[in-house]
Amino acid sequence: MKILILGGGQVGSAIAQELSTLQGHDITVIDTDEHALSNLGSQMDVQTINGNGASPVALQQAGAADADMLLALTRSDETNLVACKIAAALFNVPNRIARVRSADYLDSQNVQAEDKMPPALAAFDITDSIHPEELVTEHLTGLLHYIRALQVLPFAHERVQMVVAQAKNRDALIGKTVAEMVALLPERTDCQICAIYRNNRLIVPQASTLVEEGDEICFAADARHVSAVMAVWFYYEHKPRRVMIAGGGNIGFRLARQLEENFNIKIIELNPQRAEWLAENLDQTLVLQGSASDENLLAREYIDEIDVFCALTNDDENNIMSALLAKNLGAKRVVCIINRSRYVDLITGNQIDIVVSPHLITIGSILAHVRRGDIAAVYPLRRGTAEAIEVVVHGDQRTSSLVGRRIDEIKWPAGCHIAAVVRGDTVMMGRNHHETVADGDHLILFVARRRVLRELEKLIQVKMGFFG
């Protein structure tokens, strides 16, 4: 597949790195930053073009006429949208995916169904769009509804959720085997424990595996049962009600707007004009103008009574410092957005409870479009070392390696484990190996070793006879 990537920043370079390691992809990156392109060219097997991605000349030079996909991932929405329009009109590129950050292009009253493109985006002939702020907001919302979770990942139209949480000393699962953990759950409540990480080492769960303090537990369950599972396994005194948000940008505003009916929200914004705008556009949120790293301000607003403090500004250093300060002053749990990947590895596991990487979340959404086969969702786990993938199965016994076969008859790649099977409204746990895979099933997979992804893609692909 010939893929053009516009933008050699953190997202564009990470996608280029990911795709360059897989066979069968011809990658070209277009950017105006010669230094960034030089670094990319020296680190990975990709072609680079210095120029504006929205320029017909640059696209032609990059071989747009023969391209299968355009990934417009620059920081400018307008550049991304114009590039998609030109790629469609002049070069007939079949797949045109734009990264769009501004809510102005999304908040349209004319969209009649969820699967329809907002008119403002459809005007630019894009085939799909990626919305980083929206993705991060959804991720944060999931974390706030399950206070002990480190990650909450939705699959199969929200029917299944995969949750990652760390075992602590007062939790009911400490010292229990996997079989005993499942036995603790209420009747008709089931889940699949996909992985246990102990000291950064993967343990493939067996019925006899014991859970220790500090273990990270990854499990999948029917979304209707996740609250029950969390309540049985993980200790917490009460549900979070008081949330303080540092930063009133797009993500802070979106999060406050989604949560303000069910949570007591305070939002701190440094810019006076933005603070005034927030106060006018949020109905039940208390807006405070000031710095989130102002110790006196935090103390006056009773930071020691805050259940969750979210540092969501555009500045990594400010987020880290305000989160550490809030934790030191008594906030029960702190969540911090960090863009730089090196900072993510440095901070994770210290005083900050949850580190959210917008780039990892965005990259996962993009990969779902690029991977071969009918892949509906891709989420990085363990800071990108593992993945959770949703596959939609198509075909019959003649055209598919999966349809009509029992789960235990399929030769899955090493390190690839079934978490759940969704058939209509029915959710089946992956350990039910006697289940036969059917056309239209959604398979939720935990992939511990990313090097086997190419094998997985081949396994789920429908043979050409299916289209005859």
Side-chain angles (χ1 to χ4, degrees), residues 343-374:
Y343 281 12
V344 173
D345 293 333
L346 181 66
I347 297 299
T348 300
N350 292 299
Q351 293 186 57
I352 296 176
D353 296 295
I354 301 176
V355 175
V356 175
S357 171
H359 292 130
L360 280 180
I361 296 171
T362 304
I363 288 164
S365 182
I366 295 169
L367 290 177
H369 295 281
V370 177
R371 294 272 171 78
R372 289 191 173 95
D374 201 343

Side-chain angles (χ1 to χ4, degrees), residues 120-418:
L121 296 182
F124 290 94
D125 286 339
I126 69 172
T127 55
D128 217 329
S129 55
I130 306 295
H131 313 293
E133 277 83 1
E134 194 173 85
L135 293 169
V136 173
T137 303
E138 290 173 359
H139 184 80
L140 291 167
T141 302
L143 293 176
L144 288 170
H145 280 101
Y146 303 112
I147 187 61
R148 288 291 305 279
L150 300 176
Q151 281 185 284
V152 181
L153 310 175
F155 295 99
H157 307 293
E158 305 283 347
R159 291 187 179 91
V160 172
Q161 289 180 330
M162 185 176 289
V163 178
V164 181
Q166 187 175 41
K168 297 187 177 180
N169 60 357
R170 300 178 72 178
D171 293 338
L173 47 69
I174 297 294
K176 299 284 195 305
T177 65
V178 167
E180 290 171 338
M181 289 169 58
V182 175
L184 289 174
L185 299 177
E187 187 178 357
R188 297 183 180 178
T189 300
D190 198 4
C191 75
Q192 174 77 32
I193 301 176
C194 308
I196 297 174
Y197 281 90
R198 182 173 300 158
N199 298 323
N200 292 321
R201 182 175 62 89
L202 171 66
I203 298 174
V204 178
Q206 307 295 329
S208 59
T209 303
L210 279 170
V211 174
E212 299 179 3
E213 184 178 354
D215 287 354
E216 283 188 20
I217 314 297
C218 175
F219 71 89
D222 187 316
R224 295 168 293 187
H225 300 159
V226 171
S227 293
V229 175
M230 295 291 289
V232 170
W233 286 353
F234 300 98
Y235 173 83
Y236 47 95
E237 294 181 359
H238 59 84
K239 291 184 178 180
R241 303 301 305 170
R242 297 175 291 273
V243 178
M244 181 176 285
I245 299 172
N250 288 337
I251 295 175
F253 168 68
R254 285 172 177 268
L255 184 63
R257 187 171 61 178
Q258 285 195 18
L259 298 178
E260 63 180 356
E261 290 189 5
N262 299 310
F263 292 81
N264 183 348
I265 307 291
K266 296 180 181 180
I267 187 167
I268 302 175
E269 170 57 40
L270 183 61
N271 184 289
Q273 289 76 28
R274 180 65 177 180
E276 185 176 347
W277 184 91
L278 290 168
E280 293 173 354
N281 288 274
L282 292 169
D283 298 324
Q284 302 175 49
T285 297
L286 176 62
V287 180
L288 306 167
Q289 193 273 313
S291 170
S293 57
D294 182 342
E295 183 175 350
N296 292 327
L297 173 61
L298 295 179
R300 286 199 307 271
E301 295 301 326
Y302 303 102
I303 186 65
D304 57 324
E305 297 180 3
I306 293 295
D307 295 312
V308 185
F309 179 91
C310 301
L312 309 181
T313 76
N314 292 322
D315 187 291
D316 285 352
E317 288 79 5
N318 282 345
N319 287 341
I320 293 169
M321 294 308 298
S322 62
L324 290 174
L325 180 60
K327 188 73 171 181
N328 189 53
L329 293 175
K332 296 176 179 63
R333 198 162 178 82
V334 296
V335 180
C336 183
I337 279 186
I338 297 180
N339 288 291
R340 298 186 190 179
S341 57
R342 291 184 180 179
Y343 281 12
V344 173
D345 293 333
L346 181 66
I347 297 299
T348 300
N350 292 299
Q351 293 186 57
I352 296 176
D353 296 295
I354 301 176
V355 175
V356 175
S357 171
H359 292 130
L360 280 180
I361 296 171
T362 304
I363 288 164
S365 182
I366 295 169
L367 290 177
H369 295 281
V370 177
R371 294 272 171 78
R372 289 191 173 95
D374 201 343
I375 294 179
V378 178
Y379 296 103
L381 297 168
R382 300 292 301 174
R383 295 175 290 283
T385 59
E387 285 187 350
I389 298 176
E390 177 186 347
V391 173
V392 184
V393 179
H394 291 302
D396 52 32
Q397 284 187 296
R398 182 173 57 87
T399 60
S400 170
S401 300
L402 303 177
V403 174
R405 293 165 176 79
R406 290 182 8 165
I407 290 175
D408 56 3
E409 293 176 340
I410 299 169
K411 189 176 180 181
W412 300 101
C416 180
H417 308 281
I418 289 280

Side-chain angles (χ1 to χ4, degrees), residues 68-82:
D68 300 297
M69 180 179 290
L70 174 75
L71 296 175
L73 307 177
T74 74
R75 289 182 173 272
S76 167
D77 289 351
E78 289 69 28
T79 297
N80 295 338
L81 294 173
V82 170

